[in-house]
């Protein structure tokens, strides 16, 4: 890969300010390719990519059909099917599976889009023959609805369409609609709640009478709010209103739960009382498709109420959650406080929804940010922090980013989005393709595969890729006449007019919206480039033009100086607080649009470049020295760099300090504060189990546990529970090092219950610690700020120098000289 990716987290000490001391974090991604103007893609190349997308679908589809069908999913590494109750359970995640051949049902309408009527007909026959729902299995209502009900409905609609338009499948008599209706009935018991908000899970055979569901009370906002499109279509196609009635009631009940001050929603709620359980509010996991269904319900059903509700929420999201191109969760009842400092991959659908709702500019911006995350980590990780570090490293071959890329391309005609799609496609080919399908990636840092291929890979990821590279004339249907459900199933807009009557598909010969985009210059094409450009310049190392006149340099900048703050603002630079504002962390965004003038905009660009250079220059050691030099400043900002220090010999003055990172959820060690104690390794090492085997040996000591299997904060809670005085979490990626990788602060879950310090250490540092532990059983370590450690060392050295000077004088007098001390390791 020719692009280089660079990420630097840097800190600068700034003098006390009017606001507060700021710890400046600048994350930088450099990608040579992104500085290049967008290359137009030839028809030939686009057609090749379309065919490659088709082949990708078939590679996955045939692998599933030949090795896994009638299972719900293919396990691409074992090359066999995943069956509920047979394949070892993955816990709650398996609620997706109902032993109803989910991947096949989810794939049906993609076969039609690909124009493969023969395979579609064959697959429909298999579904009618093999799929049944009378199983004693608890399934997720949401997943069953979007994948199975949606898949069956869309396939039914397209089967009827093909009967009329392609003169095929005349034997088909609506069997899949009947199956969808049956499945809908099996989901309905979940809606029998006082609020009307459905239970998260239901037993396909026993409804809510399954004893395992007795305690069911929690659901997520997206789970309850992503029903209406499918249920409305089901009612209108079958003539039975019950489904639509129940889905509208659930939407109405959810709407009532919005926070009346902020208009935001939380992510988890109690279906009986309507109380919020998690008040975090964003656009990603737990809430994503609720917003999508509000807007698309308006589009599909034409009910203004849903547009009004969507607009209220949308304005709230843009006011509180949106921060430049980033989308960061806040608390619904305290929307000015960020509740987490990372973003998840599900939110990548948001730009696509923004396009549909007509808000193109922020869609372009957020998509640009996502593209940079992709370039930085090769694949978009499941979650990443505000400084673009990996929070959860998995990549499940999700569709959301490609979906947004497709909608942005359709809206703008800008070939940049074709190039982005190409990159996404080639990356999947390189990193996810295996001999038996496509495998999810367990950690984007290592590229290690996971034995899973979710059904949405076929129903969405490959479908959107194929659509992106298809010209309208390549498609057998006019996709503009359909709404894509959240699982990318096609529901015709004509459903709104549908009572019991039939509806017709129009092969539109109207003016094609893409035609005018082909005119030159096209304002639609020019627009996104203009919006992306400032963001691109912010993060790349491109050369700024020289500007005459005096301007504020990054080196001179002081946050305490009101004139400096004004100057920075005029240059189009926005300072966005990251995480808890009291931590004083800010992220800088530069935009020509916000600059007072063109010239100041360019100055801003230069300022950002300098800031970038500063961060590059400051290696960990330089930074620590800089901090030491500035240690006279009265108020110390919170530091990112911590030290885990030890001496191998009790009498020794030779301390080794290993670089470590702090956490957002544990108490800060301020100034000279430190925790000291004997270190002990957790058993099991990952420290995720409820009980640690060596818990009786941990009290009063500093626990060391390995990253992975559960969250940082749950390890911390366990350590605290067994009496540890601090926790060191060491990385699970071998060879990682704080010398070469940017340090980061571990994220929590918004709760404030961890009272012991917790630090993170990369693998190479841990190897040193581990070697020291072997050399010296009962090794004691001291956890403190790195800058304080340096200061402590300097003070000791100064004292030693004085002593040495005195003894040198004595030695000189006696005719001998003292030995030189070795340098400290950092
Ligand atoms: C899909 O099942 C749907 O897009 C859903 O809304 C979100 N999760 C997956 C894809 O990531």
């Amino acid at each position: 890969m020719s692009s280089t990716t660079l990420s630097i987290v840097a800190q600068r000490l700034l003098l006390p300010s009017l606001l507060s001391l700021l710890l400046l974090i600048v994350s930088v991604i450099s990608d040579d390719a992104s500085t290049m103007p967008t290359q137009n893609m030839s028809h030939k190349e686009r057609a090749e990519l379309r065919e490659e997308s088709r082949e990708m679908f078939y590679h996955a589809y045939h692998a599933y059909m030949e090795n896994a069908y009638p299972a719900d999913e293919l396990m691409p590494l074992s090359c066999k099917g995943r069956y509920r109750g047979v394949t070892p359970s993955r816990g709650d995640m398996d609620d997706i599976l109902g032993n109803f051949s989910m991947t096949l049902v989810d794939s049906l309408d993609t076969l039609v889009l690909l124009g493969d009527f023969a395979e579609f007909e064959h697959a429909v026959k298999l579904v009618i023959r093999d799929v049944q729902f009378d199983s004693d299995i608890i399934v997720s209502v949401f997943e069953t609805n979007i994948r199975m009900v949606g898949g069956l409905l869309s396939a039914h609609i397209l089967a009827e369409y093909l009967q009329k338009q392609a003169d095929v499948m005349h034997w088909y008599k609506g069997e899949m609609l009947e199956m969808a209706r049956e499945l809908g009935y099996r989901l309905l018991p979940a809606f029998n709640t006082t609020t009307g908000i459905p239970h998260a899970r239901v037993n396909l055979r026993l409804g809510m009478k399954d004893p395992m569901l007795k305690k069911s009370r929690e659901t997520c906002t997206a789970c309850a709010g992503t029903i209406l499109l499918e249920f409305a279509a089901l009612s209108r196609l079958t003539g039975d209103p019950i489904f639509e009635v129940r889905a509208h009631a659930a939407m109405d009940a959810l709407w009532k739960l919005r926070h009346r001050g902020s208009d935001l929603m939380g992510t988890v709620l109690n279906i009986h009382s309507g109380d919020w359980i998690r008040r975090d509010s964003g656009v990603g996991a737990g809430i994503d498709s609720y917003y999508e269904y509000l807007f698309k319900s308006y589009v599909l059903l034409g009910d203004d109420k849903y547009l009004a509700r969507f607009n209220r929420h949308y304005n709230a999201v843009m006011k509180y959650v949106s921060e430049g191109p980033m989308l960061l969760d806040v608390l619904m009842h305290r929307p000015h406080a960020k509740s987490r400092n990372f973003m998840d991959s599900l939110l990548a659908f948001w730009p696509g929804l923004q396009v549909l709702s007509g808000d193109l500019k922020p869609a372009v911006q957020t998509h640009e940010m996502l593209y940079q995350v992709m370039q930085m980590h090769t694949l978009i990780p499941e979650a990443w922090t505000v400084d673009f570090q990996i929070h959860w490293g998995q990549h499940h071959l999700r569709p959301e980013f490609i979906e947004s890329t497709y909608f942005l391309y359709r809206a703008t005609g800008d070939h940049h989005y074709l190039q982005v799609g190409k990159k996404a496609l080639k990356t999947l080919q390189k990193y996810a393709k295996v001999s038996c399908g496509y495998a999810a990636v367990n950690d984007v840092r290592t590229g290690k595969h996971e034995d899973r291929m979710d059904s949405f890979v076929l129903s969405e990821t490959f479908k959107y890729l194929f659509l992106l590279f298809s010209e309208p004339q390549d498609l057998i249907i006019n996709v503009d006449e359909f709404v894509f459900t959240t699982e990318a199933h096609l529901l015709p807009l004509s459903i709104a007019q549908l009572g019991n009557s039939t509806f017709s598909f129009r092969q539109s010969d109207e003016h094609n919206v893409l035609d005018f985009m082909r005119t030159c210059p096209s304002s639609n094409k020019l627009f996104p480039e203009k919006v992306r450009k400032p963001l691109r310049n912010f993060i790349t190392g491109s050369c700024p033009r020289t500007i005459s006149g005096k301007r504020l340099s990054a080196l001179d900048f002081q946050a305490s100086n009101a004139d400096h703050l004004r100057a920075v603002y005029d240059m189009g630079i926005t300072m966005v607080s990251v995480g808890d504002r009291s931590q004083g962390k800010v992220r800088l965004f530069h935009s020509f649009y916000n600059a007072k003038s063109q010239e100041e905009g360019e100055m801003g660009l230069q300022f950002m470049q300098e800031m970038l250079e500063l961060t590059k220059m400051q290696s960990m050691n330089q930074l620590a020295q800089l901090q030491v030099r500035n240690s006279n400043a009265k108020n110390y900002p919170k530091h990112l760099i911590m030290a885990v220090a030890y001496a191998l010999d009790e009498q020794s003055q030779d301390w080794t300090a290993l670089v470590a990172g702090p956490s957002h959820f544990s108490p800060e060690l301020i100034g000279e504060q430190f925790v000291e104690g004997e270190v002990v390794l957790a058993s099991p090492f990952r420290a995720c189990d409820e009980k640690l085997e060596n818990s009786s040996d941990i009290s009063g000591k500093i626990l060391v546990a390995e990253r992975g299997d559960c969250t940082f904060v749950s390890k911390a809670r366990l350590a605290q529970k067994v009496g540890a005085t601090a926790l060191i979490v060491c990385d699970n990626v071998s060879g990682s090092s704080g010398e070469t990788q940017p340090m980061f602060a571990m994220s929590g879950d918004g709760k404030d219950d961890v009272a012991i310090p917790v630090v993170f250490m990369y693998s190479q540092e841990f190897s040193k610690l581990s070697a020291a532990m072997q050399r010296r059983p009962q090794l004691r370590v001291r956890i403190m700020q790195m800058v304080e450690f340096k200061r402590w060392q300097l003070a000791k050295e100064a004292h030693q120098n004085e002593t040495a000077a005195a003894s040198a004088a004595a030695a000189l007098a006696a005719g001998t000289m003292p030995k030189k001390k070795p340098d400290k390791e950092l």
Side-chain angles (χ1 to χ4, degrees):
M1 207 165 73
S2 63
S3 64
T4 51
T5 302
L6 164 71
S7 169
I8 300 167
V9 177
Q11 312 164 48
R12 279 192 77 210
L13 290 182
L14 305 168
L15 295 174
S17 77
L18 295 173
L19 307 168
S20 69
L21 282 171
L22 300 176
L23 177 60
L24 208 62
I25 302 178
V26 181
S27 285
V28 182
I29 307 160
S30 162
D31 185 330
D32 296 336
S34 69
T35 63
M36 302 292 285
T38 304
Q39 295 281 315
N40 262 7
M41 187 177 279
S42 66
H43 282 291
K44 186 170 166 284
E45 186 176 11
R46 197 170 161 195
E48 283 165 7
L49 290 166
R50 185 188 67 228
E51 290 316 305
E52 195 168 350
S53 315
R54 186 196 301 276
E55 282 160 22
M56 291 168 86
F57 173 85
Y58 280 123
H59 179 67
Y61 178 78
H62 290 313
Y64 164 75
M65 291 304 286
E66 283 155 28
N67 306 291
Y69 181 80
D72 283 319
E73 287 178 352
L74 167 74
M75 299 200 295
L77 302 183
S78 340
C79 203
K80 61 182 189 193
R82 184 187 296 285
Y83 288 91
R84 187 80 182 272
V86 177
T87 313
S89 168
R90 299 172 297 177
D92 286 356
M93 224 169 95
D94 279 350
D95 291 345
I96 294 174
L97 314 173
N99 286 347
F100 37 35
S101 305
M102 190 173 61
T103 298
L104 181 60
V105 173
D106 226 4
S107 303
L108 291 173
D109 60 5
T110 311
L111 288 168
V112 178
L113 270 181
L114 297 176
D116 191 347
F117 305 155
E119 183 57 31
F120 176 65
E121 184 168 3
H122 171 63
V124 169
K125 282 182 179 163
L126 288 179
V127 167
I128 295 170
R129 189 192 72 189
D130 298 344
V131 175
Q132 61 86 32
F133 305 121
D134 186 27
S135 310
D136 184 5
I137 291 179
I138 293 175
V139 293
S140 152
V141 173
F142 159 76
E143 300 285 3
T144 306
N145 177 55
I146 64 168
R147 302 190 199 211
M148 293 296 298
V149 177
L152 288 167
L153 285 174
S154 179
H156 162 73
I157 287 158
L158 293 171
E160 289 200 334
Y161 172 71
L162 292 185
Q163 284 181 328
K164 284 185 204 141
Q165 302 293 329
D167 204 18
V168 293
M169 291 181 75
H170 292 296
W171 56 268
Y172 179 72
K173 299 277 180 293
E175 291 87 340
M176 287 187 295
L177 178 60
E178 278 315 304
M179 292 175 77
R181 187 210 301 252
E182 186 203 330
L183 189 52
Y185 283 137
R186 290 179 187 274
L187 298 183
L188 279 181
F191 290 74
N192 292 332
T193 60
T194 40
T195 55
I197 297 172
H199 287 271
R201 282 177 280 272
V202 70
N203 183 305
L204 283 173
R205 182 180 294 160
L206 307 174
M208 293 309 294
K209 293 202 183 107
D210 186 321
M212 304 277 282
L213 293 171
K214 244 189 175 153
K215 288 187 180 161
S216 157
R217 54 180 56 90
E218 287 182 16
T219 196
C220 73
T221 310
C223 306
T226 315
I227 306 287
L228 184 52
L229 291 185
E230 291 81 0
F231 270 33
L234 193 51
S235 281
R236 297 192 186 207
L237 290 166
T238 59
D240 185 343
I242 184 71
F243 306 107
E244 188 168 345
V245 166
R246 290 304 182 94
H248 280 298
M251 286 302 244
D252 289 345
L254 284 175
W255 172 243
K256 286 190 193 132
L257 300 183
R258 75 192 179 282
H259 190 273
R260 303 300 163 115
S262 68
D263 278 336
L264 291 171
M265 304 284 281
T267 47
V268 180
L269 57 105
N270 181 316
I271 51 161
H272 299 303
S273 64
D275 291 339
W276 286 106
I277 293 161
R278 283 195 69 101
R279 287 158 193 260
D280 305 64
S281 192
V283 296
I287 195 162
D288 47 357
S289 45
Y290 164 66
Y291 293 133
E292 182 181 0
Y293 270 37
L294 277 177
F295 185 75
K296 290 184 177 175
S297 294
Y298 162 69
V299 176
L300 186 71
L301 308 174
D303 187 340
D304 291 344
K305 159 176 103 177
Y306 290 112
L307 179 62
R309 289 179 186 176
F310 172 80
N311 283 337
R312 283 275 284 277
H313 286 315
Y314 185 79
N315 290 339
V317 166
M318 294 313 283
K319 185 169 173 188
Y320 301 116
V321 177
S322 163
E323 294 241 11
M326 300 195 289
L327 294 154
L328 293 167
D329 277 20
V330 297
L331 295 170
M332 60 185 283
H333 57 295
R334 250 191 288 138
H336 293 289
K338 294 285 174 221
S339 63
R340 63 183 202 182
N341 70 340
F342 64 90
M343 287 164 269
D344 61 59
S345 63
L346 288 172
L347 63 74
F349 89 104
W350 186 251
L353 183 60
Q354 288 181 310
V355 168
L356 293 177
S357 72
D359 203 2
L360 219 48
K361 185 177 169 184
V364 171
Q365 290 176 326
T366 296
H367 183 274
E368 182 65 13
M369 182 265 298
L370 293 165
Y371 184 38
Q372 290 170 13
V373 172
M374 181 185 126
Q375 291 172 98
M376 183 174 190
H377 298 296
T378 310
L379 292 158
I380 294 183
E382 195 61 354
W384 62 94
T385 60
V386 284
D387 44 359
F388 293 159
Q389 301 310 303
I390 290 167
H391 187 71
W392 298 324
Q394 305 93 324
H395 176 85
H396 294 152
L397 319 180
R398 289 191 189 280
E400 283 80 3
F401 176 65
I402 297 169
E403 174 186 349
S404 286
T405 307
Y406 165 68
F407 283 113
L408 272 160
Y409 177 67
R410 291 296 315 277
T412 64
D414 184 342
H415 281 221
H416 167 75
Y417 297 108
L418 294 178
Q419 302 292 359
V420 171
K422 177 182 169 185
K423 190 151 192 168
L425 180 151
K426 297 291 180 194
T427 308
L428 287 177
Q429 294 287 61
K430 190 167 171 191
Y431 295 99
K433 190 173 182 181
V434 293
S435 56
C436 189
Y438 286 82
V441 174
N442 183 260
D443 191 326
V444 298
R445 286 164 290 204
T446 59
K448 200 174 152 240
H449 285 136
E450 221 179 297
D451 204 5
R452 69 184 269 189
M453 183 180 86
D454 292 78
S455 68
F456 55 69
V457 180
L458 287 107
S459 75
E460 295 192 75
T461 309
F462 296 147
K463 184 187 279 160
Y464 281 122
L465 273 177
F466 180 79
L467 286 172
L468 175 66
F469 297 118
S470 296
E471 312 263 4
Q473 62 272 18
D474 300 327
L475 300 171
I476 68 122
I477 55 169
N478 179 2
V479 287
D480 295 342
E481 294 180 348
F482 293 82
V483 169
F484 287 93
T485 69
T486 193
E487 190 75 1
H489 292 309
L490 296 146
L491 296 177
L493 287 166
S494 53
I495 251 172
Q497 290 115 43
L498 198 66
N500 286 330
S501 61
T502 49
F503 56 95
S504 63
F505 288 82
R506 283 173 295 116
Q507 194 64 51
S508 174
D509 53 4
E510 286 165 25
H511 169 71
N512 188 328
V513 73
L514 284 176
D515 285 348
F516 79 89
M517 290 177 190
R518 296 201 184 98
T519 59
C520 189
S522 152
S523 54
N524 265 33
K525 280 185 192 171
L526 295 176
F527 165 75
E529 171 61 20
K530 246 176 144 184
V531 176
R532 284 197 306 272
K533 199 177 156 206
L535 288 167
R536 200 159 65 195
N537 288 339
F538 161 54
I539 58 136
T540 61
S542 63
C543 300
R545 270 175 280 161
T546 33
I547 317 158
S548 58
K550 189 164 161 38
R551 72 168 180 87
L552 177 64
S553 79
L555 251 181
D556 296 335
F557 174 72
Q558 291 176 9
S560 57
N561 186 322
D563 288 336
H564 286 187
L565 289 173
R566 208 171 304 117
V568 163
Y569 181 77
D570 288 346
M571 289 192 285
I573 293 169
T574 316
M575 292 189 183
V576 177
S577 298
V578 174
D580 180 352
R581 270 156 219 258
S582 67
Q583 292 170 4
K585 292 180 188 173
V586 292
R587 191 173 171 80
L588 302 186
F589 289 99
H590 174 252
S591 159
F592 275 103
Y593 291 93
N594 295 337
K596 220 170 146 193
S597 66
Q598 171 74 15
E599 200 189 10
E600 277 160 299
E602 289 180 0
M603 285 177 175
L605 193 54
Q606 211 164 338
F607 183 93
M608 298 300 283
Q609 296 292 339
E610 287 174 356
M611 201 53 94
L612 169 66
E613 287 311 314
L614 275 176
T615 63
K616 279 184 188 163
M617 269 167 42
Q618 292 166 359
S619 71
M620 220 62 97
N621 271 345
Q622 288 168 318
L623 184 61
Q625 281 160 12
L626 179 69
Q627 288 170 341
V628 170
R629 277 208 301 278
N630 285 281
S631 62
N632 289 335
K634 271 186 200 136
N635 302 319
Y636 250 57
K638 180 167 179 154
H639 291 292
L640 259 186
I641 303 173
M642 304 296 295
V644 173
Y646 56 86
L648 275 175
D649 153 14
E650 202 150 342
Q651 315 311 322
S652 171
Q653 297 300 312
D654 286 338
W655 281 69
T656 298
L658 303 169
V659 167
S663 86
H664 287 297
F665 54 80
S666 60
E668 187 184 356
L669 290 168
I670 300 162
E672 291 168 6
Q673 286 176 351
F674 62 86
V675 178
E676 190 176 307
E678 187 185 325
V679 271
V680 54
L681 299 183
S683 173
F685 196 25
R686 293 247 162 138
C688 293
D689 302 359
E690 258 311 284
K691 279 205 171 87
L692 289 174
E693 284 156 20
N694 59 340
S695 56
S696 56
D697 187 36
I698 295 170
S699 182
K701 295 180 186 164
I702 295 175
L703 188 67
V704 184
E706 192 185 35
R707 181 183 198 172
D709 291 347
C710 60
T711 58
F712 292 127
V713 71
S714 53
K715 291 177 201 289
R717 288 193 184 113
L718 189 56
Q720 182 166 294
K721 203 169 119 196
V722 294
T725 53
L727 172 69
I728 300 170
V729 182
C730 59
D731 202 7
N732 55 2
V733 179
S734 75
S736 65
S737 158
E739 295 294 324
T740 52
Q741 277 158 283
M743 197 44 82
F744 66 94
M746 290 173 286
S747 297
D749 53 12
K751 288 190 200 135
D752 196 16
D753 56 343
V754 176
I756 57 172
V758 183
V759 294
F760 175 84
M761 188 180 264
Y762 281 111
S763 299
Q764 287 193 19
E765 281 75 26
F766 172 66
S767 302
K768 289 180 188 168
L769 179 64
S770 164
M773 286 170 80
Q774 275 166 21
R775 276 179 65 188
R776 185 174 170 199
Q778 297 175 331
L779 179 79
R780 292 179 72 80
V781 303
R782 184 179 279 209
I783 302 176
M784 62 198 302
Q785 288 179 8
M786 181 61 84
V787 65
E788 285 301 328
F789 173 81
K790 291 286 279 180
R791 211 145 63 123
W792 179 50
Q793 290 294 293
L794 285 174
K796 269 202 305 186
E797 272 170 24
H799 175 71
Q800 280 163 13
N801 287 345
E802 278 168 26
T803 322
S807 44
L812 213 59
T816 57
M817 286 299 286
K819 281 185 195 148
K820 194 178 176 288
K821 281 178 58 58
D823 288 342
K824 297 287 165 305
E825 180 183 9
L826 261 185

